Amino acid sequence: VYLDPVCALVTAMLPVMREKVRSVVDEAIKSPAFFSTFMSQLMTLDDNIRSRFNYDGGDPENGWPGLAAEVLADHFDAWFKMERDFAIERFEKLLESQDARKIDYDYAVEGKMKPTFAAVRVTDLLRAVTTKYERLRRLKHKLRFLTDIQNDIMAGYHYRLRASLEPYKSITSPMRPQL
């Protein structure tokens, strides 16, 4: 029982909202881009309900898990796969762009190392992925984003750097005398 009428209204509206969310999820799951956008908007709705209405779902200690948590309980693997595919696809496009290996002279202050355009864009991609997983409520889901998506991006970038370094080493290393 809520003393606050706003929280009581939110509690009363949740079954209707839950039903609407389920019907949208059934359609959204068929379209990866739509499902990704929908989940982001649903997390924003949850955050707004928590912050604007000070809603805790009757659990002041742990807080309200949100509608997104209910959807992710059933569809996390599908959503995660979509997000991972989007991130990897964007990562590959970043590395293949025309100016990926060019130095971004305007990025850092004078006297500091200048990154390539690809490095700046990969950093932005990692920030975007981090923003998505920060809003997740379950540690298990956060860890999957961190270890799978971010690790794949960093490993791919590391591989790309090593592949670029090998020809440089072979060109610049002195010839060893043969015995």
Side-chain angles (χ1 to χ4, degrees):
V1 175
Y2 285 97
L3 298 176
D4 180 7
V6 174
C7 289
L9 177 65
V10 171
T11 302
M13 294 298 297
L14 276 177
V16 175
M17 293 169 56
R18 204 172 273 124
E19 185 178 325
K20 182 63 177 174
V21 165
R22 282 189 190 122
S23 69
V24 172
V25 166
D26 291 341
E27 289 301 312
I29 199 89
K30 298 172 187 171
S31 170
F34 178 57
F35 190 52
S36 176
T37 302
F38 174 73
M39 287 307 301
S40 178
Q41 291 174 349
L42 188 59
M43 286 182 216
T44 300
L45 174 68
D46 289 348
D47 291 343
N48 285 337
I49 290 172
R50 281 186 206 100
S51 64
R52 291 177 73 193
F53 303 116
N54 199 23
Y55 187 71
D56 61 10
D59 186 357
E61 192 172 302
N62 297 319
W64 178 56
L67 295 169
E70 294 175 17
V71 171
L72 292 177
D74 296 330
H75 301 287
F76 178 79
D77 289 332
W79 180 65
F80 175 77
K81 183 183 180 322
M82 291 174 198
E83 292 297 332
R84 185 172 187 234
D85 291 347
F86 286 144
I88 298 300
E89 180 182 332
R90 180 146 182 251
F91 171 72
E92 290 170 357
K93 285 181 182 177
L94 291 175
L95 293 184
E96 299 304 322
S97 68
Q98 291 285 338
D99 61 352
R101 293 179 181 223
K102 293 181 182 175
I103 303 293
D104 185 358
Y105 291 102
D106 298 328
Y107 185 76
V109 295
E110 192 162 325
K112 300 286 183 181
M113 278 183 63
K114 308 293 185 197
T116 62
F117 284 102
V120 172
R121 292 176 187 145
V122 167
T123 302
D124 289 340
L125 175 61
L126 288 170
R127 276 192 197 111
V129 170
T130 301
T131 301
K132 286 197 178 211
Y133 89 74
E134 280 178 341
R135 295 172 28 168
L136 296 173
R137 305 280 288 180
R138 295 187 66 194
L139 180 63
K140 174 183 164 184
H141 295 162
K142 287 182 178 190
L143 285 174
R144 289 268 316 267
F145 260 80
L146 177 66
T147 59
D148 290 355
I149 296 177
Q150 288 187 337
N151 189 37
D152 286 348
I153 291 170
M154 293 303 294
Y157 197 65
H158 179 259
Y159 174 76
R160 176 75 175 249
L161 289 175
R162 287 195 80 188
S164 296
L165 185 60
E166 292 301 322
Y168 176 76
K169 280 183 177 179
S170 67
I171 292 170
T172 60
S173 67
M175 303 237 351
R176 294 185 180 181
Q178 293 188 9
L179 299 173

